[in-house]
Amino acid sequence: MRSATNDWDQAIARTPVSGQVIVHQRVDTSTGDTFWVQSTTAPNASAGTVDIHDSAPTTDLFNYAGVEILPGS
């Protein structure tokens, strides 16, 4: 699972929780925005449930789009 996200509240780097990584991040201080792609470090074993979140910051509003990448056949 990957998420594409932007935070318009502050230009501040994200801190992912254990088991997740920041794939790419841009902290744009000129506009006050942060853009990032985040991923789990391993496939999710439970169909239909994915928990993508950060441990900091915790009070900012942001846009989020989740994307599931399935293996090819």
Side-chain angles (χ1 to χ4, degrees):
M1 173 71 176
R2 287 197 174 180
S3 69
T5 316
N6 82 295
D7 174 353
W8 65 89
D9 279 352
Q10 311 183 67
I12 186 169
R14 308 324 267 195
T15 304
V17 297
S18 177
Q20 299 179 18
V21 295
I22 299 294
V23 177
H24 177 76
Q25 182 164 229
R26 178 174 177 226
V27 178
D28 189 342
T29 56
S30 66
T31 63
D33 295 338
T34 304
F35 305 90
W36 72 101
V37 175
Q38 187 167 333
S39 178
T40 55
T41 56
N44 187 358
S46 302
T49 60
V50 176
D51 184 14
I52 297 273
H53 64 280
D54 301 312
S55 60
T58 59
T59 59
D60 288 12
L61 299 173
F62 56 88
N63 294 316
Y64 170 91
V67 179
E68 180 182 15
I69 301 171
L70 300 173
S73 56

